[in-house]
Amino acid sequence: MSQKSGSAKMSSERTVKDIRRATRKQYSAEEKIRIVLDGLRGEQSIVELCRREGIAESLYYTWSKEFLEAGKRRLAGDTSPILPRHDGKYQHERTARVDLDQNLTECRFREKWSPLQDNAGSD
């Protein structure tokens, strides 16, 4: 009987997590910028700001870091867009193109020099 109550508890916890995930607030770029600028002004502590906005401090610091890095890149003259990567991080479009070119070159090399093709051509 303890298994049923345990599995019911796991099921209800999973349901709650799914609901929270589905109803999580999505912040626009403008909202993120407003929140980061509020934090940079220093009129209130980051803890109070995050509590008021309903976000985790770690999320604020992530947004702040991205905001400041983007500003630094822009001031340095880099205007290439930043693209999301598969691992959730970001990279410049230029870097993404170089990575893609390298991957394509490696694939073409493997196709050209694969052992299967060498054996097929020797008959």
Side-chain angles (χ1 to χ4, degrees), residues 48-63:
E48 292 170 347
L49 172 67
C50 292
R51 195 173 297 134
R52 185 187 78 205
E53 297 294 338
I55 63 171
E57 286 180 66
S58 60
L59 183 58
Y60 167 81
Y61 286 113
T62 299
W63 291 349

Side-chain angles (χ1 to χ4, degrees), residues 75-86:
L75 289 172
D78 187 359
T79 59
S80 64
I82 305 298
L83 304 173
R85 296 184 341 188
H86 68 281

Side-chain angles (χ1 to χ4, degrees), residues 24-59:
R24 187 174 297 145
K25 182 171 177 8
Q26 299 292 315
Y27 291 88
S28 68
E30 290 81 15
E31 289 175 308
K32 293 176 185 180
I33 291 169
R34 179 188 55 78
I35 293 168
V36 168
L37 289 176
D38 284 350
L40 292 174
R41 277 191 205 101
E43 295 172 357
Q44 60 185 348
S45 72
I46 300 303
V47 173
E48 292 170 347
L49 172 67
C50 292
R51 195 173 297 134
R52 185 187 78 205
E53 297 294 338
I55 63 171
E57 286 180 66
S58 60
L59 183 58

Side-chain angles (χ1 to χ4, degrees), residues 9-10 12 24 32 36 38 45 58 60-61 64 70 73-74 78 101 106 110 113-114 119:
K9 182 179 179 184
M10 294 291 282
S12 62
R24 187 174 297 145
K32 293 176 185 180
V36 168
D38 284 350
S45 72
S58 60
Y60 167 81
Y61 286 113
S64 177
R73 280 190 305 273
R74 181 66 178 105
D78 187 359
D101 288 344
E106 288 173 9
R110 279 191 224 115
W113 299 102
S114 72
N119 292 338

Side-chain angles (χ1 to χ4, degrees), residues 9 12 14 29 89 97 106 109 121:
K9 182 179 179 184
S12 62
R14 175 129 178 113
K89 296 182 180 177
R97 286 184 185 156
E106 288 173 9
F109 180 80

Side-chain angles (χ1 to χ4, degrees), residues 1-11:
M1 195 168 243
S2 65
Q3 283 183 334
K4 285 186 178 182
S5 63
S7 63
K9 182 179 179 184
M10 294 291 282
S11 176

